[in-house]
Amino acid sequence: MIVFGAPRRYIQGAGLLAGIGRELAAIGNSAVLIADERVMNMCGEIVRQSAETEGVSLTLMPFRGEITYDEIARIVAEIGNTPADIVIGAGGGKTIDTGKIVARDTGAHFVSVPTVASNDSPTSHIAVIYDAQHKLVGVEENRANPELVLVDTDIIVKAPIELLSAGVGDALVKVFEVEQCVGAGGKNVFGAGSPLTALALARACYTTVRENLAAAYEAHAKGKPNAAFEALVEAAVLMSGLAFESGGLSVSHGMTRGLSAVPGVANALHGHQVAYGLLVQLELENRDPQFMADIREFYRAAKLPLKLSQLGADHASNSTVQTIAELSAAAAHMKKFAREITANDIAEAIGRIEAA
């Protein structure tokens, strides 16, 4: 059996947030907007006015900045016995993932409004949960993919370049992971086989990122979206999200189990962690030196990390490498690979990366 999952509706373009009320009115009559202080100041009034113009009542719900089980429980409790028809998560991956599980636990439809293109969380139905020290502690599922994903590129283009870079990293890895998952006969996020559609999307995602990076980064520097910027955002949010959920993951994402346990590295953006994880995966795939040189050149252009120190590690000591290797080797995604991977395999791959 194969399964392909996707949001019911995805819309992207410059200036779309002001029209979100029309989209919300097609889903329900009441909504809760979850956002941190910065995003609430930037978007809250725009969403409120648009919603109320279309007859949708809106409640603003502050997000405290970290996706933990306690934070989810706090928001669910504050919503109380009168849940809204719609929960909107606006911001980055932490806020959006929090919104997914709040929507699940209150029986609401979920709408994601990313204000950055730093990862592909906006389109998926899963949420990655951390503890207060930002160590990964669990993965939860919403009942379905979002009812709506609204991507306003006028907002995305104003976010710092490091966030866009993280989105590039998260998107870049997908073709390598999906190919490994499919080749190993692994299951996708839905627990089923990977449709060819997901593999095609993963390959298109990689091509789109490689072809549009330079012009998109130029647009970002100017603060105005162009065609390349729109393409890069679509790859980072939509193509990447559809590819990973329906195609499956492998070593690159498995590495986050170990990387998120290392002080300094734990605070690195998810897309930067998996980009480093891709270097490990490529070493385990025994890619030739010419291929690795090309990837490293692209990493430099994309502002992606090539060393643990660039992820925030004080130094790549033997104990640090061993911690990363042992925890990562136990990750379920590591089984979706052409051969069995041991902690020693991972440690040796990291050693080669750090020595390059």
Side-chain angles (χ1 to χ4, degrees):
M1 179 180 73
I2 62 172
V3 172
F4 183 88
R8 187 186 67 83
R9 183 166 166 82
Y10 177 95
I11 59 175
Q12 174 186 316
L16 291 181
L17 188 63
I20 191 173
R22 292 189 299 274
E23 300 290 337
L24 297 176
I27 302 170
N29 297 316
S30 58
V32 171
L33 173 65
I34 300 173
D36 63 26
E37 183 177 7
R38 183 188 65 83
V39 173
M40 194 70 80
N41 289 337
M42 178 173 57
C43 300
E45 186 60 20
I46 297 172
V47 175
R48 187 192 65 77
Q49 289 186 10
S50 183
E52 292 186 358
T53 296
E54 300 297 330
V56 178
S57 64
L58 184 72
T59 301
L60 305 182
M61 184 68 64
F63 173 61
R64 292 178 177 171
E66 188 60 79
I67 175 169
T68 64
Y69 286 111
D70 285 346
E71 177 68 353
I72 291 166
R74 180 190 69 81
I75 296 173
V76 170
E78 288 200 20
I79 292 174
N81 296 322
T82 55
D85 297 330
I86 308 161
V87 167
I88 308 165
K94 293 179 185 180
T95 311
I96 287 171
D97 278 5
T98 299
K100 292 173 190 174
I101 307 309
V102 170
R104 180 196 70 187
D105 291 352
T106 60
H109 296 292
F110 179 64
V111 169
S112 69
V113 180
T115 58
V116 296
S118 61
N119 57 63
D120 51 25
S121 169
T123 64
S124 79
H125 80 296
I126 66 168
V128 180
I129 315 295
Y130 296 87
D131 62 17
Q133 287 71 48
H134 199 65
K135 182 179 179 181
L136 194 156
V137 293
V139 178
E140 298 285 338
E141 297 182 43
N142 195 1
R143 300 183 309 280
N145 292 74
E147 190 76 9
L148 167 70
V149 181
L150 185 147
V151 185
D152 188 332
T153 46
D154 272 343
I155 294 173
I156 302 287
V157 79
K158 294 179 176 65
I161 188 64
E162 68 173 343
L163 297 174
L164 183 58
S165 168
V168 168
D170 202 16
L172 187 75
V173 307
K174 293 310 183 330
V175 66
F176 302 98
E177 293 194 280
V178 174
E179 287 180 347
Q180 279 292 342
C181 184
V182 171
K187 301 297 185 184
N188 63 16
V189 174
F190 299 104
S194 305
L196 293 176
T197 302
L199 182 57
L201 280 167
R203 289 170 175 165
C205 182
Y206 179 80
T207 301
T208 302
V209 168
R210 292 294 303 255
E211 290 180 350
N212 289 281
L213 182 90
Y217 274 27
E218 289 176 8
H220 178 273
K222 295 176 182 176
K224 187 172 179 58
N226 62 7
F229 186 83
E230 295 284 353
L232 190 69
V233 170
E234 183 183 344
V237 179
L238 181 59
M239 293 183 197
S240 179
L242 299 182
F244 100 80
E245 275 207 302
S246 295
L249 297 170
S250 185
V251 172
S252 298
H253 274 72
M255 288 295 299
T256 62
R257 287 284 180 178
L259 292 170
S260 67
V262 176
V265 177
N267 295 322
L269 293 165
H270 170 78
H272 289 158
Q273 288 188 7
V274 299
Y276 186 86
L278 176 60
L279 295 177
V280 174
Q281 178 172 327
L282 296 176
E283 286 289 342
L284 293 171
E285 291 179 1
N286 297 313
R287 297 281 181 157
D288 63 66
Q290 184 177 355
F291 184 90
M292 294 303 294
D294 174 68
I295 284 291
R296 288 192 175 93
E297 182 180 353
F298 180 79
Y299 269 48
R300 295 185 188 97
K303 305 182 187 299
L304 294 172
L306 287 161
K307 305 287 184 182
L308 284 172
S309 61
Q310 295 171 345
L311 275 175
D314 289 339
H315 54 280
S317 65
N318 289 338
S319 61
T320 296
V321 171
Q322 200 60 33
T323 295
I324 295 170
E326 289 178 359
L327 291 174
S328 298
H333 296 319
M334 291 294 180
K335 300 184 184 301
K336 303 169 189 177
F337 194 73
R339 59 182 174 81
E340 182 179 354
I341 300 170
T342 66
N344 189 58
D345 293 331
I346 295 170
E348 290 180 351
I350 293 174
R352 292 192 294 274
I353 291 165
E354 295 298 313

